Amino acid sequence: MAQAATETGIRPSALRLFWDRWSGVLVPILAVFTALVVGAFIIGVTGADWQAAYIGLWEGAFGSPRAFADTVVRSTPFIICGLCVALAFKAGLFNIGAEGQLYAGAVASVVIGTTLQMPAIFHIPAALIAGALGGAAWAAIAGFLKARTGAHEVINTIMLNYIALRMTDWLIRSKTPYILGDPADTTGARSRLVAETARLPGIQVGSSTILHLGIPLALVLVFVVAWLLYRTTLGFEMRTAGTNPHAARYAGINVPRTIILAMAIAGSLAGIAGAIEVIGVRGALSADFFSGLGFDAIAVALLARANPVGIIFSGLLWGGLLTGARLMQVRASLSIDVIKIVQALIIMFVAADQIVRFIYRLPKRKPGEETQLSKGWGG
């Protein structure tokens, strides 16, 4: 744009150049700031002290080494699942099935972690690979249906979420015979504990928080996904098929194959997140283990505008909001629902970013600047 303007004799303003360069970062930041301001107003209307609430939120999320460690651990699955959703976005697919893919990966890792006996150097990778394969297989079902029949991935992934949830519940609670359930657990609400050789090593911070190996693995996955999308032929094919499948077909790209691969790779990321939560945090699987996590991952990906590196920061923000909510409740006598309101406001201002641009008198969005989600029903 700057070059074209110069050629026509019109010199773009420094502000315009700055905005063109940094708008992808500034709009989400301003969206978060605006959401916090509106949230403070709502807190004040209830009669609570918004300053005490936000100080408690900050201290509970980042105010001490223990709090920061809790936030990092809580953020890890959001980062990996955010990558899952963002990769599908880039391929023009709206993957709402991250939660079902989480469960599929977690179940697969539990099977490996509880049935096999081997040294940790082999057992840990085996559990992670099983999680990736479980999530990939579950997501590939929706990808295949999309590619071969035109069935929309939104409907397919939502239904697959329920199937995965109910199937996991049955596998855990079944007692004739026990399948994944632990006979020693009187509540019947969790699986058997994975073997110690399958547990991710880590460093303990405080009395219970463990900074496990899954955290650096999540960072590695961020850069692997960025490399895949922007430095490989497959990534180019995904982005081309997501932007214009008709042009992709004309260019010789096998669009059905690309759709299936994109969903499978995205599902493998969610499956890894499920495996990490099992072998790195909980040590077992329960039926309500990932309640809502897959749907929150959509917000994390939207907040980062589907940018893999940006997902690190949006994931930390999301994890921090949830971790700091406990101290926020205590300091200001607030309900946890206030955090949900702030999260909803963040999503609203990010999704309807023209509101943010209007409030702060920012330039309007240029064509093609918006995040690619899906090509539409049956598209």
Side-chain angles (χ1 to χ4, degrees):
M1 175 180 175
Q3 183 179 357
T6 303
E7 290 174 355
T8 58
I10 302 174
R11 183 178 296 276
S13 66
L15 180 61
R16 178 77 246 191
L17 289 172
F18 175 81
W19 177 252
D20 287 346
R21 183 182 181 94
W22 297 104
S23 62
V25 176
L26 290 176
V27 168
I29 291 175
L30 290 173
V32 173
F33 173 76
T34 307
L36 291 175
V37 170
V38 176
F41 174 77
I42 294 173
I43 293 170
V45 168
T46 66
D49 185 345
W50 68 268
Q51 291 180 320
Y54 280 168
I55 290 173
L57 178 63
W58 172 261
E59 292 181 354
F62 304 104
S64 68
R66 165 68 185 279
F68 182 69
D70 285 342
T71 295
V72 170
V73 172
R74 189 74 177 269
S75 301
T76 300
F78 290 123
I79 292 172
I80 302 177
C81 287
L83 291 173
C84 160
V85 176
L87 190 146
F89 279 171
K90 292 295 186 182
L93 300 166
F94 202 168
N95 180 17
I96 302 187
E99 189 138 344
Q101 294 146 28
L102 273 165
Y103 275 103
V107 167
S109 67
V110 165
V111 171
I112 296 299
T114 57
T115 60
L116 297 185
Q117 295 181 354
M118 58 180 72
I121 194 172
F122 300 115
H123 208 173
I124 293 172
L128 290 172
I129 292 171
L133 292 176
W138 203 252
I141 297 172
F144 178 83
L145 292 173
K146 168 79 171 182
R148 297 303 180 188
T149 70
H152 202 279
E153 69 278 4
V154 169
I155 298 297
N156 294 331
T157 51
I158 288 176
M159 295 300 101
L160 285 168
N161 281 343
Y162 286 109
I163 295 171
L165 176 62
R166 300 308 174 194
M167 184 178 295
T168 302
D169 187 69
W170 172 73
L171 289 171
I172 292 173
R173 297 183 185 277
S174 175
K175 297 182 180 180
T176 54
Y178 285 94
I179 302 176
L180 291 182
D182 187 355
D185 178 31
T186 57
T187 65
R190 67 166 174 81
S191 70
R192 294 185 293 274
L193 296 173
V194 299
E196 285 298 322
T197 52
R199 296 295 300 269
L200 290 174
I203 301 172
Q204 185 165 334
V205 179
S207 59
S208 59
T209 304
I210 297 178
L211 294 173
H212 53 76
L213 191 62
I215 296 167
L217 177 59
L219 299 179
V220 170
L221 289 174
V222 167
F223 294 101
V224 168
V225 169
W227 171 80
L228 171 67
L229 286 173
Y230 300 108
R231 294 290 185 269
T232 68
T233 302
L234 178 59
F236 173 77
E237 291 177 348
M238 287 180 185
R239 291 183 289 114
T240 303
T243 302
N244 192 329
H246 303 294
R249 290 189 185 95
Y250 184 78
I253 296 173
N254 188 332
V255 174
R257 167 184 166 274
T258 302
I259 288 173
I260 296 171
L261 280 176
M263 284 298 293
I265 295 171
S268 71
L269 293 168
I272 291 173
I276 287 174
E277 283 296 291
V278 168
I279 67 175
V281 180
R282 308 296 181 103
L285 175 63
S286 58
D288 59 348
F289 200 49
F290 304 113
S291 180
L293 196 156
F295 294 101
D296 285 345
I298 299 172
V300 171
L302 285 173
L303 182 58
R305 291 173 168 263
N307 182 299
V309 177
I311 285 172
I312 297 175
F313 303 100
S314 59
L316 280 172
L317 171 66
W318 218 253
L321 287 172
L322 294 176
T323 305
R326 291 171 294 190
L327 189 58
M328 181 182 183
Q329 285 180 276
V330 174
R331 293 285 180 84
S333 300
L334 285 172
S335 168
I336 188 66
D337 292 334
V338 173
I339 287 295
K340 298 296 183 182
I341 292 172
V342 172
Q343 289 176 330
L345 288 168
I346 290 172
I347 297 171
M348 182 187 74
F349 286 123
V350 171
D353 64 337
Q354 296 289 39
I355 299 174
V356 174
R357 295 169 191 267
F358 174 78
I359 293 173
Y360 297 99
R361 300 295 190 270
L362 301 175
K364 293 182 179 180
R365 183 172 55 204
K366 296 182 296 182
E369 191 178 3
E370 66 275 4
T371 301
Q372 173 70 42
L373 296 185
S374 174
K375 298 308 296 180
W377 299 97

